[in-house]
Amino acid sequence: MASGELGPCPGGEFARTARLEAHPRGAGYPDRAVAAQSDVTDTARIAAVVADTVLWYGRIDVVVNNAGLGMVGAIEETTDQELRDLMDLHFFGPAALVRAVLPHMRRQQSGATVQMSSTGGRFTFPGVGAYSATKFALEGLSEALAAEVAPHGIKVLIVEPGSFRTGFAGGGALRLTAELPAYEATVGPVRTNPPGSDGKQEGNPDKAAAAILTALAAEETPLRLPLGNDAVDAIQAHLEAARAETLAWEKVSRSTAFDG
């Protein structure tokens, strides 16, 4: 079962929950796919889709939370409604879906949740603060979730892709906030870079899917899986910078205890 993307279910079948768009029933997999339309921000509908899936197939083995949008804009440029809508899509919707499937996975003492995050779930930069805020929230939830459900035989995998050749950077998947001239120097380049890279990204989506399946099949599935050379390089650089800053300020950080 998947939110926004196809995922494996028992017997080679597939179930799908998509956000808003209408899709031909089972398009691309006419003999093995059943499409169920759902807005992932509609929590009541989520419960119904999960119930129908369990009714028809008896179990849910894998949930992939992959529905999402990009947003570029400075924090001051981002409206409260834009931020709330993005949080509903990237955080509250996936949280609701996970809560809906967990009772079934706990009963079967197995299952996996794949949370599609981003390198923006590890670090951020000008123009993507709102987007990263939603991914930071998703990763925090998922890290705690992984420890909570591990005793029940359930895996949680946070996927952090870099740039992949999907439709994310073009079409209707990328939203731009209203512009303020004050942020042209810092946010302006970020507004133009993603659309300009569409169709030229290094990452191969098919290989990304294979890497996710490899991680899920491993005896010790990682909590986080960066995907792509750009993702690994950027995350390693961020971790090294964070470590250097912590060491540089370690004396001050440790100076806050009561004397004696």
Side-chain angles (χ1 to χ4, degrees), residues 150-234:
H152 301 284
I154 303 169
K155 296 181 176 183
V156 176
L157 174 64
I158 303 168
V159 181
E160 299 171 327
S163 296
F164 278 79
R165 203 167 297 178
T166 66
F168 183 80
L174 183 64
R175 304 286 173 83
L176 304 177
T177 66
E179 298 182 52
L180 292 175
Y183 297 102
E184 175 58 32
T186 52
V187 178
V190 185
R191 290 180 179 275
T192 58
N193 287 345
S197 69
D198 192 35
K200 306 172 186 176
Q201 300 93 330
E202 178 184 295
N204 183 329
D206 292 336
K207 291 184 177 180
I212 292 169
L213 291 175
T214 297
L216 289 177
E219 184 174 345
E220 294 292 334
T221 295
L223 174 63
R224 289 179 170 87
L225 181 67
L227 292 179
N229 292 322
D230 55 343
V232 173
D233 290 344

Side-chain angles (χ1 to χ4, degrees), residues 65-88:
N65 272 311
N66 190 39
L69 291 170
M71 179 174 288
V72 175
I75 302 302
E76 187 180 351
E77 295 171 334
T78 307
T79 68
D80 186 69
Q81 192 60 54
E82 287 172 330
L83 182 57
R84 289 178 184 275
D85 288 347
L86 202 62
M87 192 66 78
D88 280 342

Side-chain angles (χ1 to χ4, degrees), residues 3-241:
S3 169
E5 191 52 78
L6 288 171
C9 284
E13 299 289 341
F14 290 83
R16 177 173 181 150
T17 55
R19 185 176 190 272
L20 298 180
E21 296 87 358
H23 296 278
R25 190 170 180 79
Y29 301 89
D31 299 324
R32 327 184 267 142
V34 176
Q37 184 174 338
S38 178
D39 182 339
V40 297
T41 65
D42 183 349
T43 55
R45 176 62 179 151
I46 285 174
V49 170
V50 170
D52 286 347
T53 302
V54 174
L55 177 64
W56 283 102
Y57 300 105
R59 60 187 290 129
I60 294 175
D61 291 317
V62 181
V63 169
V64 182
N65 272 311
N66 190 39
L69 291 170
M71 179 174 288
V72 175
I75 302 302
E76 187 180 351
E77 295 171 334
T78 307
T79 68
D80 186 69
Q81 192 60 54
E82 287 172 330
L83 182 57
R84 289 178 184 275
D85 288 347
L86 202 62
M87 192 66 78
D88 280 342
L89 179 60
H90 289 171
F91 179 72
F92 288 109
L97 180 55
V98 167
R99 290 197 303 270
V101 301
L102 279 179
H104 305 288
M105 289 185 174
R106 283 192 292 103
R107 276 195 293 271
Q108 65 200 32
Q109 288 292 291
S110 66
T113 295
V114 179
Q115 307 281 48
M116 296 301 295
S117 181
S118 165
T119 54
R122 288 280 197 113
F123 61 89
T124 191
F125 50 87
V128 296
Y131 177 83
S132 288
T134 67
K135 295 301 186 179
F136 273 49
L138 181 67
E139 293 210 11
L141 179 93
S142 301
E143 186 169 342
L145 175 68
E148 292 168 357
V149 300
H152 301 284
I154 303 169
K155 296 181 176 183
V156 176
L157 174 64
I158 303 168
V159 181
E160 299 171 327
S163 296
F164 278 79
R165 203 167 297 178
T166 66
F168 183 80
L174 183 64
R175 304 286 173 83
L176 304 177
T177 66
E179 298 182 52
L180 292 175
Y183 297 102
E184 175 58 32
T186 52
V187 178
V190 185
R191 290 180 179 275
T192 58
N193 287 345
S197 69
D198 192 35
K200 306 172 186 176
Q201 300 93 330
E202 178 184 295
N204 183 329
D206 292 336
K207 291 184 177 180
I212 292 169
L213 291 175
T214 297
L216 289 177
E219 184 174 345
E220 294 292 334
T221 295
L223 174 63
R224 289 179 170 87
L225 181 67
L227 292 179
N229 292 322
D230 55 343
V232 173
D233 290 344
I235 288 173
Q236 286 181 343
H238 173 72
L239 291 173
E240 290 168 3

